[in-house]
Amino acid sequence: MNEIHFNADAGYLEGIVRGYRDGLITSPQYLNLTQCETMDDLKLQLATTDYGTFLQNEPSPLSTSTLSARCTDALVAEFQYLQQNAAEPISKFLDYITYGYMIDNVILLITGTLHERDTHDLLEKCHPLGFFDSMPALCVATTVQDLYNTVMIDSPLAAYFRECLSAEDLNELNIEIIRNTLYKAYLEDFYLYCQGLGEPTAAIMADVLNFEADRRTVNITINSFGTELSKDDRSKLYPRLGNMYPEAQTRFARVDDMDQVKAILEQYGELRSLLVGVNLNASTGGAGGNELSLEDRFFSKEVQLNKDAFEQQFHYGVFFSWLRLKEQEIRNVVWIAECISQQQKDKINNYTAIY
């Protein structure tokens, strides 16, 4: 990628997003947060961070759900500023980032329609970064067929639905299969788009998207245990990219339990390190004390990859990586808040520090 052209197209926005990165909560600030005894103490400590202005008008006592919502508002405001000031090709790259949120929102509306819930209420629960122009039209749909037709015609996800799914697939039993099928198509498409942007964006985005594909491969495998999903159908959900593609994916498609998953991971150097100190049966956040789950390890690895993206200049990967780091920061803050509100201070340090 030509550096002169990059600065003309995205130099200002790169400076903005690097400023956003410098505003992430640091380890000393996390230490102060973990020392808080009440949610009001936590709110006071957060007043010196980028979340301060979004929390200042919230009444006491502050709930964790409100905290999460206001932190998300801060993330959305910063990302939308980038979108509003972006021109091609950076604007298209930022649009690609939002497609993952759109998938989650559409799946939420499909689930609500299947259960005959008021889709207008569901619209309020959708992630703001996953909104698209025709999304309010989805609330008019009263049947899954209507919803499918609307998404097919007016949604940025139309190509993924058209290639992967039919209206008959949209039923309650298939909802997670639908989600993973759409994510597979999205990741593969995003990967190919990034490769067309040239270096160093292509290499940096390849690292983070390959990691995401590997994580999804492992999670799909583990979550399929004890379900009616066949091994052939399981393999069809794996993204066709990543360090596990195709050899490890072929082996994962045949496993039956966690021990077999661990045996495969231990044979790959990059993946073996994820197992150190991990309880494969632990839930996210640790099962107690300092015990870590595999998902915690994935979060730590993701943080490191996204921090590394900032070590180079003149590439679009910093926009993707900042958003992922910001999301991890919000998970950290909400985790600390939950531990405070539930008086589980023994688990409060089980967060993934960034800087």
Side-chain angles (χ1 to χ4, degrees), residues 137-163:
L138 298 180
C139 295
V140 180
T142 56
T143 67
V144 171
Q145 181 68 55
D146 292 341
L147 194 64
Y148 178 81
N149 291 338
T150 304
V151 173
M152 277 285 294
I153 296 171
D154 296 324
S155 163
L157 306 177
Y160 305 146
F161 271 86
R162 186 164 51 248
E163 293 172 7

